[in-house]
Structure formats: structure tokens, C-alpha cells
Amino acid sequence: MRLRSTCAVLGAALLLAAVPGSASAATGQFRYDYVTVEGYEATGFLNDPPSGECLDLPGVGPENPRPGDSPKNRTDAWATVFAGSGCTGDWFRLRPHTGGASERLKVRSVVFD
């Protein structure tokens, strides 16, 4: 009986070691406003975005001459927003949970700590 218990414990440990760890991600939602190429007001959002990865914001890429604005960080991680795509240009940090800015802050990309 002891051998069976030992084998079960070892098997479970090997199984846990073989399962890859989950990717680090910010939990929550990041929101921003923008005007579509067609001229409609819209709100974009990222749910549980990955951490440490530059993300170009959907809807405000090269096809849209107008950047997004009014970012709201409702995730549990710091968000650094950038004026340019590819996390380039002027940047601003938004604190977790309550960080936000007005329509004066223009954004095209973000990275989460």
C-alpha cells in the first residue's frame, strides 16, 4: 500500500512539473475612446492584457490618422501609454485600478508592468 501512495505522489509531482506556468497578465480592463475612420465615436478595450508586451491599440493603428484618447486603467497593473504605435513617442503612466486621463492624452499603444 505504501508503494502505491508513493507512486501516486510522484506521478502527481511529475504532472505538475510538466504543465507550463500561466503567462503573466494584468487582470481587469483597459479602456480608451477613439473616432473610427468612418467618423463614429467608439470605445476600445483590452481585457486581461498580457504584461511586459507592447500592445498597439485596436482601431487607432496606421489606418486611422486619429489617435485614441481618455485612457482608463482598470487593471491590477501599472499601464504605460504611448503617443505612437510600437510603444514609441511621448508616454504617461496610469496607476492600477483607478488610473485615467482626459481626452487631451493621445494614445496608440500600451504596455503593462
Side-chain angles (χ1 to χ4, degrees):
M1 187 61 124
R2 207 181 245 300
L3 180 60
R4 194 176 294 173
S5 295
T6 302
C7 288
V9 169
L10 286 174
L14 286 173
L15 182 60
L16 287 174
V19 175
S22 63
S24 177
T27 301
Q29 188 176 75
F30 177 82
R31 302 176 70 89
Y32 58 98
D33 295 332
Y34 67 101
V35 176
T36 67
V37 176
E38 295 82 18
Y40 299 106
E41 291 183 9
T43 299
F45 56 90
L46 302 171
N47 289 320
D48 300 332
S51 297
E53 182 180 325
C54 179
L55 303 170
D56 286 335
L57 299 174
V60 295
E63 74 284 352
N64 191 343
R66 300 168 90 175
D69 60 58
S70 307
K72 307 275 187 286
N73 184 19
R74 302 300 182 250
T75 72
D76 62 355
W78 281 87
T80 304
V81 294
F82 294 84
S85 297
C87 294
T88 60
D90 292 337
W91 54 274
F92 187 81
R93 303 254 303 154
L94 299 172
R95 69 178 161 257
H97 304 293
T98 59
S102 72
E103 67 278 349
R104 294 185 324 172
L105 182 62
K106 305 304 181 193
V107 297
R108 288 196 186 269
S109 56
V110 63
V111 65
F112 296 88
D113 293 351

